[in-house]
Amino acid sequence: MVSQPTRYLLRGADAVIVDDGTGQTVLRHVDLLTEGPTILAIGPNLSATEEAAGAEVIDASGWFVYPGLINTHHHFFQTFVRNRADLDWTKLSVIEWLDRIYPVFSRLNEDCFYHSSLTAMAELIKHGCTTAFDHQYCFPRHAGKRLIDRQFEAADLLGMRFHAGRGGNTLPKSEGSTIPDEMLETTDEFIADCARVIDTYHDAAPFSMRQVVVAPCQPVNCYRETFVESVALARDRGVMMHTHVGEGESPVIAARHGMRTVDYCAELGFAGPDAFYAHGWELSHAELARMAADGTGLSHCPEPVYLVGAEVTDIPAMAALNLRIGLGCDGAASNDNSNLMHCIHSGYMLQCLVAATRSHPVPEPAAFLAYATTGGASLLGRADIGRLAPGLAADLFAIDTRRMDYVGTRHDPLSLLAKVGVGMATDMTMINGRIVWKKGEFPGLDEAKLAAEAEAALATVQF
């Protein structure tokens, strides 16, 4: 990335969504000052202060400035299977669908993992995402073990704050999994590479741009020992844990282990404040209550719910239990975009669709913004991101609302993303105090060249 100033003054923003730790509120007609990775101050007339001396001034007239969004579940490698009508899972169970798509995934090579990660992260950034967690569980033997390394390389190029979920699958298809042999690893292989990636990349310091999560793919495709060893490693190294839970696999786990997935994971220790699951649409109230009591969080991915067509994740019940909730895009095999801002809108609208059938009311629209910011920070175990306040990371995005799209909406910035939705790229995205997207460009990068290289990598794989 090109060299940039270390201090910025966003002057005269129409609205800045701030949070001192007690909840998001709106400040009108204020400035926001950053230095290096940090927010220095938010308030009126900062340009007259000594702190702002020498800062590059950015005219924020008409802008709504939001905390950067935090994506808590994705599969970047699936970006190369977008817009494939032949992979329609609406006529299949989740397990049948996995049987269909995993052979496709097993053909990807190392360059595909790099370029698909670049593609997904670029789209995320354009739509206000500043921290991305990716669940990379696909390790075809021919692609080698350096796939997480290549993802960090892609994140560095774009300036993305990246949490890498080192996933894996260990149970053979002959023993009931959905995994082709080409994608299988042993538990020892998986744990050893998790340890390598943690030792090489994990940074627990404030404003860290690189963290690692131990993330076995899902209980239905792994041996019991894989989860036991994952817990031991994660707790020894002080990193988070993640897996898929409650997306149609519970009957299989019950038949195999005599209990449904939430209880199975809890019995193995794969639960608690250092663990979060993805999906959870089929979970009972008792299972949600157990997760809340244990402190286990959940990444809600609204877009795949459309494809399942059976159950809408009970976000109101989760909220009533004070269960920690974040939002995720999920992979392109079940969501053909990497747009977390769209997930805020679709997540809210899905809950409205089934509101009459729920025991608890739909959370306020602003809550869905919170799920994608402070909620995501909580799932990832971070106290330095997810809020705009002095001393926290300068992760933010801005929308110029002086457009016809926003007439009649500007009175309520907190509800805008959930109620109305934002159908275009941001006017600016900043990560760790660096402008990574502005005025339709990635500063210092040639987007057309990146897209052409990605298409060339895709062309090397036969689907």
Side-chain angles (χ1 to χ4, degrees):
M1 298 181 66
V2 295
S3 176
Q4 294 185 6
T6 60
R7 188 176 294 197
Y8 290 98
L9 177 69
L10 278 59
R11 186 174 63 192
D14 272 21
V16 178
I17 286 71
V18 300
D19 188 341
D20 63 2
T22 61
Q24 294 178 333
T25 59
V26 179
L27 295 182
R28 293 282 189 172
H29 309 298
V30 294
D31 306 333
L32 186 148
L33 178 65
T34 72
E35 182 175 44
T38 314
I39 297 171
L40 281 185
I42 304 172
N45 303 315
L46 294 182
S47 57
T49 65
E50 185 176 333
E51 282 184 313
E56 177 173 316
V57 177
I58 297 174
D59 182 8
S61 300
W63 283 13
F64 286 2
V65 180
Y66 291 89
L69 306 181
I70 299 171
N71 186 32
T72 56
H73 188 71
H74 210 312
H75 307 297
F76 291 166
F77 71 88
Q78 295 180 5
T79 303
F80 277 3
V81 291
R82 290 194 285 183
N83 197 28
R84 294 291 301 267
D86 54 314
L87 296 178
D88 175 14
W89 78 337
T90 62
K91 302 176 182 68
L92 306 170
S93 72
V94 172
I95 301 301
E96 290 171 332
W97 174 72
L98 292 175
D99 279 332
R100 180 81 60 86
I101 62 174
Y102 276 140
V104 175
F105 299 157
S106 70
R107 299 170 198 159
L108 299 176
N109 56 45
E110 183 184 302
D111 279 348
C112 286
F113 287 94
Y114 171 76
H115 287 287
S116 59
S117 296
L118 264 181
T119 301
M121 284 189 272
E123 187 175 359
L124 285 165
I125 287 170
K126 287 183 180 186
H127 298 283
C129 181
T130 55
T131 300
F133 166 78
D134 185 57
H135 193 185
Q136 205 318 75
Y137 60 79
C138 181
F139 284 82
R141 291 194 187 101
H142 63 268
K145 296 293 189 192
R146 297 191 60 80
L147 306 184
I148 299 292
D149 307 71
R150 297 302 305 277
Q151 289 192 296
F152 277 115
E153 181 184 337
D156 288 348
L157 181 67
L158 292 171
M160 172 63 85
R161 195 184 300 280
F162 181 50
H163 286 230
R166 205 309 186 178
N169 297 281
T170 61
L171 187 73
K173 201 176 183 73
S174 61
E175 296 185 37
S177 84
T178 59
I179 301 301
D181 288 346
E182 176 67 15
M183 284 173 57
L184 277 179
E185 298 179 287
T186 66
T187 294
D188 287 346
E189 271 185 288
F190 167 64
I191 294 298
D193 201 54
C194 284
R196 178 191 71 82
V197 173
I198 293 169
D199 292 344
T200 305
Y201 296 105
H202 186 74
D203 177 8
F207 309 126
S208 161
M209 295 291 286
R210 293 174 163 185
Q211 295 204 5
V212 176
V213 178
V214 178
C217 182
Q218 55 197 141
V220 77
N221 285 331
C222 288
Y223 284 115
R224 179 188 183 95
E225 68 185 36
T226 306
F227 275 75
V228 172
E229 293 298 322
S230 293
V231 173
L233 177 66
R235 297 219 163 115
D236 177 67
R237 303 301 176 87
V239 302
M240 305 295 289
M241 300 180 288
H242 180 70
T243 193
H244 295 91
V245 169
E247 59 165 346
E249 87 298 324
S250 287
V252 177
I253 295 298
R256 191 180 294 171
H257 300 290
M259 64 188 80
R260 283 165 58 90
T261 318
V262 168
D263 289 339
Y264 176 69
C265 286
E267 183 187 76
L268 301 181
F270 204 99
D274 56 352
F276 65 106
Y277 306 151
H279 301 303
W281 63 61
E282 68 174 6
L283 300 184
S284 69
H285 191 273
E287 289 169 330
L288 296 176
R290 176 163 193 170
M291 288 175 59
D294 289 343
T296 308
L298 185 103
S299 175
H300 170 48
C301 302
E303 304 288 324
V305 176
Y306 291 107
L307 301 182
V308 175
E311 301 172 73
V312 174
T313 315
D314 198 346
I315 297 300
M318 295 178 187
L321 289 164
N322 293 318
L323 191 150
R324 295 185 298 125
I325 303 170
L327 288 186
C329 288
D330 203 20
S334 55
N335 177 13
D336 292 82
N337 66 70
S338 296
N339 184 340
L340 190 62
M341 197 177 315
H342 185 262
C343 291
I344 296 173
H345 178 58
S346 60
Y348 171 71
M349 296 301 288
L350 266 175
Q351 298 304 315
C352 294
L353 175 67
V354 296
T357 69
R358 300 300 198 201
S359 300
H360 301 281
V362 176
E364 294 294 321
F368 289 81
L369 171 62
Y371 299 151
T373 52
T374 54
S378 174
L379 293 194
L380 296 181
R382 308 242 355 202
D384 54 346
I385 61 175
R387 298 187 287 121
L388 297 184
L392 297 189
D395 288 8
L396 56 88
F397 68 91
I399 298 168
D400 189 340
T401 59
R402 297 173 297 183
R403 296 183 172 104
M404 297 297 285
D405 309 62
Y406 305 111
V407 172
T409 73
R410 300 175 74 251
H411 61 93
D412 186 0
L414 284 174
S415 299
L416 177 65
L417 274 59
K419 284 281 289 181
V420 180
V422 173
M424 62 189 72
T426 69
D427 289 276
M428 186 182 80
T429 302
M430 175 183 285
I431 302 176
N432 216 41
R434 297 179 65 87
I435 295 172
V436 296
W437 170 259
K438 188 179 181 184
K439 296 181 178 177
E441 295 182 342
F442 296 102
L445 298 175
D446 183 339
E447 184 178 357
K449 180 174 181 289
L450 293 178
E453 290 170 348
E455 291 281 6
L458 170 60
T460 66
V461 180
Q462 295 296 316
F463 293 106

